[in-house]
Amino acid sequence: MRAYRAKVVEPIHLPDRDERVANIEAAGYNVFNLDSEDVFIDLLTDSGTGTMSDAQWAAMMRGDEAYAGSDSFKRLQESVSDVMGFDKIVPAHQGRGAENVLYGVTVSEGDYVPNNTHFDTTRAHVVNNGGKPVDCPVDVAPDDPFQGNLDPDKVRELADEVGAENIPAVLVTITNNSMAGQPVSVANIREAREVADELDALLVIDACRFAENAYFVQQREAEFEGEERGRHRPRGTFLRRRHRHEREEGRARQHRRVRFGVRDDDLFEHAKQRGILYEGFTTYGGLAGRDLEAMAVGLREAVTQPYIESRVEQVAELGDLLLEADVPIYSPTGGHAVYVDAEEFLPEIPREQYPGQVLVGELYREGGVRAVELGEFAFPGEDRPQLVRLCLPRRTYFREHLEHIAETFEAVGEKRDQLSGLEIVWEPPMEELRHFSAELEPVE
C-alpha cells in the first residue's frame, strides 16, 4: 500500500498512435530527444523527477537565497550530518556536477578507477580526466542477495597489472545501477575499504540510492536483520555506523539530495575550490536556497520506513505485473527500477542492432512509455546484458499506470516478429555519452 496520498495532480496526455510514430521517427529513435509533453508515462530516470512532499514544498518558502553563508545550507548540512554522518559537504547542482568536482581533483592521465560497475556519466568523467574506468563486479549466483557487490580480488588483480600507484580511488555504487539496481552488502563495503587501504587509494561510495540499499541490507544481511525500525529507519543509524571510521566520499543525485560528502580534510579543501570554479560558492553550489531546503527535508524523508517500503514495494509490483505478462525481467527486482532482458524479449534482433533500443522505441510507439536502454547502445563494447531499465520516479505513479506499462509490453510482444534492428546514423565524439543524443534509423 502506498504510504502517501495525492494533494496536487498534473494532467497527462497520451498522443494518438500516428503522433507517437511520427515523434519517435523525428527523435531519431532516441527517446532522450522526445518532448516531455509527448510522453505518457516517463520511466527514463528517477533523478530529480520524483514527487515532492508537502513538507518539502513548505520548506521551500523559507529558502535563504544569500550567495554566501545561507541558512538553508546550514539546515542541509545538519540533515546530512544527522542521516549520513558527514560534517563536510560540497554541494553541486547535479550528480555529474559532483563527479566533475570529485574526479577533477582525484583522477589524472593514466590512472585506473575500479568500480562495482560504472554508470554512464561516472564512466565519462573518469575518461574525461584521463583515467580508465574498470568494472569489477562480483560473479553472482541467482540466489545471491547482494548481486551488486564489488569483487575485491578483481581490484587486486588490476593493481598487480597496472600498479597500485595508478589507482587513486576505489568506487562502490549503491545500489549498483548498471547491474539491474542490485544492492551492495555492508560486508562488501568493508572489503572495499580494506582493498582501498591496501592500495593507499580513496574509497568512494556513489550513494545515489543509499536508502534503497540500506533497506535491502536491513532485510537481507544477517548482521542488520531485525534491528529496530523507527521513524528514521532505514537507516540513519546504520549509515553512520557504516561510515564512522572510513575516509570516503558519498555522491547522491536523487531525491533532491546533497551531492558530495567528504571526510578527508585535504581533499575537502581541493574539492571546495573546484566546486567554486564549476558549481558556485560553497554554501549554494549552483542551487537556489529553496532547493537546499527541499533537499534537507527530502534527505530525512528518504530514510523513513513507510517511504522506503512503499518505494521498493512499487518496484516489485511492476515486476510482478511484467512477469504475469511473460516479460523476462532481472530478478530479484531492485529498489528503483525493473530491468528487462531485451535480448530474450526480442531474440531475432542481433546485439549489434541494439535490441534494447528497439524495445525502448516500441514501448513509446505502442503506449507512450519512455524507458532507457542500458546495453550496447549506452555502453558500447562492454560485455554486459542488453537491459532496458524501467525507472519509477518516487511517489509519482499508481497501479493503473503500472498496468498500462504491462499492457504496452504485451502489445509489443504481439508484433515482435515484425520488428527490425537499428543502426546509428549520427553520434557525438565521446562514445561514453552517445546514448544521450545519438540518432538511429531502422536497418533495411
Side-chain angles (χ1 to χ4, degrees):
M1 181 179 295
R2 302 286 83 81
Y4 50 86
R5 61 187 178 193
K7 296 179 71 171
V8 176
V9 296
E10 175 191 1
I12 56 176
H13 164 67
L14 177 61
D16 63 38
R17 195 177 194 284
D18 288 342
E19 287 182 89
R20 300 196 301 270
V21 170
N23 290 340
I24 194 65
E25 290 178 358
Y29 295 87
N30 187 340
V31 292
F32 280 95
N33 297 328
L34 291 171
D35 291 336
S36 174
E37 65 180 1
D38 293 327
V39 175
F40 186 53
I41 297 178
D42 202 342
L43 310 178
L44 189 66
T45 182
D46 59 345
S47 296
T49 60
T51 302
M52 294 205 305
S53 68
D54 54 353
Q56 285 181 293
W57 282 110
M60 289 177 70
M61 298 302 294
R62 66 178 183 184
D64 180 359
E65 307 300 342
Y67 183 93
S70 166
D71 287 339
S72 299
F73 174 78
K74 293 176 184 176
R75 281 186 281 271
L76 174 61
Q77 199 167 29
E78 289 172 0
S79 289
V80 175
S81 179
D82 289 347
V83 173
M84 303 190 74
F86 288 105
D87 295 324
K88 301 180 179 69
I89 65 172
V90 179
H93 79 284
Q94 197 177 15
R96 65 200 60 183
E99 288 170 337
N100 177 44
V101 171
L102 173 61
Y103 301 123
V105 298
T106 58
V107 177
S108 302
E109 189 72 33
D111 283 343
Y112 291 78
V113 181
N115 192 350
N116 50 352
T117 317
H118 288 81
F119 202 58
D120 49 18
T121 60
T122 314
R123 181 180 300 275
H125 275 289
V126 172
V127 170
N128 193 52
N129 284 283
K132 180 176 177 57
V134 181
D135 293 339
C136 298
V138 68
D139 297 324
V140 297
D143 59 349
D144 191 333
F146 293 100
Q147 298 184 25
N149 281 356
L150 171 84
D151 189 329
D153 289 334
K154 290 180 181 178
V155 178
R156 293 185 177 96
E157 291 171 5
L158 176 66
D160 290 341
E161 179 183 344
V162 304
E165 68 278 7
N166 294 315
I167 300 179
V170 175
L171 276 63
V172 181
T173 302
I174 58 171
T175 54
N176 192 337
N177 196 6
S178 294
M179 290 298 291
Q182 296 299 300
V184 176
S185 69
V186 172
N188 186 247
I189 293 173
R190 290 170 178 154
E191 291 179 319
R193 167 77 281 153
E194 291 174 3
V195 72
D197 285 345
E198 291 172 18
L199 305 178
D200 193 27
L202 194 69
L203 174 62
V204 177
I205 294 180
D206 184 336
C208 54
R209 294 175 182 90
F210 76 98
E212 292 88 336
N213 200 88
Y215 177 83
F216 287 123
V217 164
Q218 187 189 57
Q219 300 298 312
R220 301 178 184 178
E221 195 162 5
E223 181 181 348
F224 301 96
E225 285 180 358
E227 288 196 359
E228 176 188 358
R229 292 172 169 83
R231 178 170 176 79
H232 294 297
R233 305 288 193 274
R235 186 100 224 162
T237 303
F238 151 68
L239 289 163
R240 287 193 295 274
R241 287 172 57 187
R242 188 186 70 195
H243 294 321
R244 186 173 298 152
H245 301 298
E246 297 176 354
R247 177 174 60 93
E248 66 197 86
E249 283 68 59
R251 182 178 69 83
R253 61 184 173 185
Q254 318 300 339
H255 311 285
R256 291 183 176 268
R257 301 276 190 267
V258 61
R259 305 302 196 232
F260 192 163
V262 59
R263 294 196 185 283
D264 184 278
D265 290 337
D266 184 59
L267 178 61
F268 178 58
E269 290 303 324
H270 281 87
K272 277 204 314 183
Q273 299 308 311
R274 187 172 175 88
I276 292 171
L277 181 63
Y278 285 98
E279 294 293 315
F281 189 64
T282 310
T283 56
Y284 78 91
L287 293 158
R290 54 187 176 273
D291 292 329
L292 298 174
E293 293 283 0
M295 290 165 63
V297 173
L299 185 60
R300 296 184 188 276
E301 290 178 348
V303 293
T304 58
Q305 198 76 18
Y307 170 93
I308 195 62
E309 284 181 349
S310 175
R311 172 152 171 75
V312 174
E313 288 170 2
Q314 187 178 47
V315 174
E317 183 180 10
L318 176 58
D320 290 341
L321 287 172
L322 293 177
L323 287 173
E324 291 171 10
D326 294 324
V327 178
I329 68 170
Y330 194 103
S331 296
T333 52
H336 74 291
V338 177
Y339 292 71
V340 176
D341 187 330
E343 281 186 300
E344 185 175 346
F345 191 74
L346 300 177
E348 301 301 320
I349 308 295
R351 177 176 290 214
E352 62 271 17
Q353 293 181 9
Y354 312 115
Q357 193 66 11
V358 173
L359 178 54
V360 166
E362 291 304 313
L363 290 174
Y364 177 75
R365 195 196 318 250
E366 292 300 320
V369 175
R370 178 159 62 175
V372 67
E373 189 263 11
L374 296 179
E376 181 65 25
F377 182 53
F379 301 105
E382 298 290 326
D383 183 18
R384 63 173 68 211
Q386 302 302 296
L387 300 176
V388 168
R389 186 185 72 176
L390 311 172
C391 199
L392 286 168
R394 296 161 178 84
R395 300 182 292 203
T396 299
Y397 293 122
F398 297 90
R399 172 79 182 194
E400 56 267 35
H401 299 111
L402 306 188
E403 291 172 348
H404 176 83
I405 296 165
E407 292 165 0
T408 299
F409 269 94
E410 291 177 333
V412 174
E414 290 173 359
K415 56 176 288 187
R416 73 184 80 189
D417 59 347
Q418 305 170 29
L419 303 179
S420 62
L422 294 169
E423 60 183 352
I424 296 174
V425 295
W426 179 86
E427 61 182 307
M430 193 172 191
E431 69 172 11
E432 288 82 8
L433 298 177
R434 77 176 183 185
H435 76 131
F436 289 109
S437 55
E439 296 180 3
L440 307 96
E441 65 181 21
V443 173
E444 293 294 336

